[in-house]
Amino acid sequence: MSEDAPGRGARILVLSAEVGEGHVAAARALAAGMSAPPFSADVAVVDGLAALGGPLRAMIRDGYRLQLRVAPWSYGALFALATHPPGLWAARGGLSLLAGRRLGSLVRSHRPDVVVSTFPALTSVLGRLRRRGRLSATLVATVTDLHAHALWAHRGVDLHLVMHEACLAQVERVAGPGSARVVQPLVAPGFLAPTERGAARRALGLPGDGTLILISGGGWGVGDLTGGVEGALRLSAARIVCICGRNEPVERHLAELYAGDERVVVLGFTERMSELLAAADAVVHTTGGMTCLEALACGCPMVAFGAPPGHLKANARALGRAGLGAVARTAAELPAALAGILPRAGRPVADGLPSAASAIAAAPKRVIPIPHWRIVSARACLAALMLLLVTSWSLSSDDAFPLVAAALEVAPITSVRSTLPDVGLVVAGPPGLDRSVLRRVAAARGRADIAISAPGSPALDRMVRRSGGELLPALGAGALTGWWRTAGRLGRLARGLDARAPRLYLVPRSGFSLGEYLLARRRGWRPVGGALDFAAGEPAPPAAPRPGEVIVLWLSSDRAASLALVDRALDSLADAGLTPVTVGSLVDAAGARG
């Protein structure tokens, strides 16, 4: 026994969950072994899910049962997501967040020397508590599946009890070398005691001769039990006992379906599973849970068939890979699979293996909690990273600016107070816009700004100035990380423009970021946006233009569509009796009147 191992009379807290019958049965088997001599431990078995509160318990237990009975594929998808990164990290983090405090309080209230978890979700939370120094007791976890998926194991567990050597590598890959040990199957003592087949059949009132096949859907009666019975009946002269667990609808259905067939006996939940396995020549299991361990313990040959998606189907595959039984994918394959393992010649796998109780009694405190400074540092780094991400999003995303603009009243200029029938007119389009469109604007009554997102040519500058208009720098829809170049972009666009004009720029129609606004404002630039937008290919704005508003014409590379847009907008202004001017003139006039 290790120096750190719990001694005789130690306090043992076994945490289980009523999710099927397997986890509870494993807890009972552990309690029986640890409380008996020579260990004589003080054992308390507690439903760990019940301690987490009704909503979380219902979500895990009842949600799982509903998925298996109504939509098994949905559980298969959830299982695949939760057992592979990043779904695994999210599952562990979410469980710890929701259950860590309550589960820690439950453990502290019992003051145990050893905590044993028989349910993966509890193991995940307890392992995190152990790693973070919030659980001082030795932590042991049972792995009752043959497929030790990622949630069964945790680096914070001192010792994992596995039921077969095939699970060792799977567990140690997650929890580290020396973190697992193979023990006898965690089943009730009746499964480990040899029972003569004839005596078991007489005790059950079953015929003493002939082949007897047991079909089991576990404590909840899930999987393809109907297909299992149909396939087994194809085996010549076989008698069938089908166990439907607590699934009463399936039990009634099968009882009605085979009411006239004396070869089929349909049972609900039973406490006589050890006798049934001793009496059977083979068992067809559709879950791969506790029934699988019980069959291994008493040497009953097995066929895995009809398991629902998720860890149950993974168990079936693991059974075949380990050579512990046959696998039948369809009911048609079941007779051949059964014929291949008959007559019964199985040997109990418990022979020569240590008991779970002796392994727990010798379990050392292998886990070294993470130093507190590392936890604090990790939290600080995470907080800094989150702050950096939020700040980066706030500065670079055009989604953040409207929130800040409303709070700080820093929205772009879209209108000014005016007693004159003037509106600011801005014409924006892609680089290389057809000059005939600009000439149509220049020929109109009034003046306009021509927005440029690339340095303009001397010819464009002359044409605009002859019409009395101005070139207006425009921010294009920049890259997510390009906001810090805003001031330089505006400076390049402003070269050659009238230095006396207000330092205005047009924001993209899709919006701009807080970072762009702040850097432009630092250099004295003010953003301009449209109170009304006329865009090529889109219907006219529902509201009529009003004095003092900024009107933006968003042209396209389609010359005809752009000309039609200019004519429609100018007609709308004329109908309202409004004169287009540059935005700079509009702002200057409002400032002079103010």
Side-chain angles (χ1 to χ4, degrees):
M1 181 177 293
S2 166
E3 267 183 38
D4 297 325
R8 179 184 176 88
R11 292 187 300 272
I12 311 293
L13 175 62
V14 181
L15 294 177
S16 186
E18 293 181 358
V19 181
E21 297 295 325
H23 306 291
V24 177
R28 286 197 299 263
L30 276 172
M34 290 300 302
S35 59
F39 311 107
S40 302
D42 178 10
V43 184
V45 179
V46 178
D47 184 349
L49 282 189
L52 303 185
L56 186 57
R57 181 189 187 192
M59 181 177 68
I60 294 176
R61 184 193 63 182
D62 300 332
Y64 172 54
R65 177 162 48 193
L66 183 65
Q67 282 181 298
L68 290 184
R69 290 187 178 181
V70 177
W73 62 267
S74 66
Y75 175 72
L78 184 63
F79 173 79
L81 179 65
T83 54
H84 294 83
L88 175 62
W89 305 328
R92 282 184 167 165
L95 285 169
S96 296
L97 180 65
L98 295 172
R101 187 178 300 275
R102 290 194 175 207
L103 204 55
S105 298
L106 170 65
V107 172
R108 286 191 296 272
S109 69
H110 284 78
R111 300 177 61 193
D113 298 302
V114 180
V115 178
V116 184
S117 169
T118 68
F119 185 59
L122 301 177
T123 298
S124 182
V125 179
L126 292 167
R128 184 182 177 89
L129 295 176
R130 182 83 173 93
R131 285 269 287 167
R132 291 175 175 263
R134 294 163 59 189
L135 175 61
S136 58
T138 304
L139 179 58
V140 178
T142 66
V143 182
T144 51
D145 280 3
L146 292 176
H147 171 70
H149 60 73
L151 281 175
W152 273 115
H154 197 285
R155 293 189 67 83
V157 174
D158 293 287
L159 179 65
H160 298 81
L161 305 181
V162 301
M163 308 297 111
H164 193 269
E165 290 182 1
C167 299
L168 283 174
Q170 300 175 53
V171 171
E172 292 186 345
R173 189 161 47 245
V174 175
S179 59
R181 186 176 181 186
V182 183
V183 296
Q184 294 176 358
L186 281 170
V187 296
F191 294 96
L192 298 173
T195 303
E196 196 271 324
R197 192 181 319 170
R201 291 190 181 187
R202 286 192 297 273
L204 293 166
L206 295 172
D209 57 347
T211 301
L212 179 65
I213 306 298
L214 192 63
I215 313 289
S216 173
W220 281 357
V222 297
D224 187 8
L225 292 174
T226 303
V229 175
E230 290 177 355
L233 283 174
R234 298 177 189 178
L235 197 66
S236 176
R239 291 181 176 272
I240 314 298
V241 175
C242 181
I243 303 174
C244 303
R246 303 186 191 277
N247 195 336
E248 294 178 1
V250 169
E251 181 186 354
R252 287 194 299 269
H253 168 72
L254 289 174
E256 293 172 2
L257 187 63
Y258 295 104
D261 193 335
E262 62 180 13
R263 293 191 301 160
V264 179
V265 176
V266 179
L267 301 177
F269 184 79
T270 177
E271 298 285 355
R272 307 184 70 178
M273 196 66 185
S274 60
E275 295 172 278
L276 286 165
L277 284 170
D281 293 284
V283 58
V284 176
H285 65 83
T286 60
T287 61
M290 185 54 63
T291 303
C292 180
L293 292 186
E294 292 167 347
L296 288 173
C298 63
C300 184
M302 289 182 289
V303 177
F305 164 78
H311 74 283
L312 301 178
K313 190 171 285 295
N315 274 340
R317 291 194 295 266
L319 178 81
R321 287 195 302 268
L324 299 175
V327 178
R329 292 173 298 178
T330 65
E333 294 180 2
L334 193 52
L338 285 168
I341 61 174
L342 294 173
R344 176 171 180 166
R347 184 178 66 86
V349 299
D351 293 354
L353 292 176
S355 68
S358 63
I360 293 173
K365 287 190 173 181
R366 183 186 64 89
V367 174
I368 300 175
I370 301 171
H372 183 67
W373 67 267
R374 284 183 55 187
I375 296 175
V376 173
S377 299
R379 288 175 178 171
C381 290
L382 179 61
L385 177 61
M386 295 301 297
L387 179 61
L388 177 62
L389 291 175
V390 170
T391 302
S392 299
W393 175 79
S394 300
L395 292 174
S396 60
S397 171
D398 54 17
D399 295 325
F401 182 80
L403 304 177
V404 179
L408 303 181
E409 298 182 354
V410 294
I413 299 171
T414 58
S415 64
V416 298
R417 292 183 180 180
S418 177
T419 57
L420 301 175
D422 294 342
V423 293
L425 182 61
V426 180
V427 179
L433 185 67
D434 193 289
R435 296 296 175 83
S436 61
V437 179
L438 300 181
R439 283 193 289 270
R440 179 72 62 88
V441 177
R445 180 174 64 89
R447 299 174 297 160
D449 286 300
I450 305 300
I452 54 172
S453 56
S457 65
L460 176 63
D461 184 55
R462 287 194 299 271
M463 183 182 69
V464 172
R465 291 186 184 280
R466 278 200 300 268
S467 67
E470 294 287 347
L471 293 177
L472 180 70
L475 283 181
L480 184 65
T481 57
W483 56 270
W484 60 76
R485 295 193 293 269
T486 299
R489 289 160 59 193
L490 291 175
R492 286 190 295 274
L493 293 175
R495 288 172 187 166
L497 301 185
D498 188 352
R500 296 168 299 176
R503 293 171 70 82
L504 305 175
Y505 65 96
L506 180 67
V507 301
R509 194 183 186 199
S510 59
F512 70 134
S513 69
L514 178 61
E516 290 173 320
Y517 170 80
L518 293 176
L519 291 179
R521 179 179 177 178
R522 185 179 178 186
R523 297 294 181 88
W525 290 91
R526 300 173 64 187
V528 173
L532 293 179
D533 287 348
F534 289 80
E538 295 181 10
R546 294 183 296 183
E549 290 185 329
V550 176
I551 312 301
V552 182
L553 309 185
W554 298 97
L555 309 183
S556 69
S557 56
D558 186 329
R559 176 177 177 275
S562 296
L563 285 172
L565 172 64
V566 169
D567 290 339
R568 185 181 66 186
L570 292 176
D571 290 343
S572 178
L573 294 178
D575 292 342
L578 298 175
T579 302
V581 299
T582 63
V583 178
S585 300
L586 194 69
V587 172
D588 284 344
R593 287 190 297 274

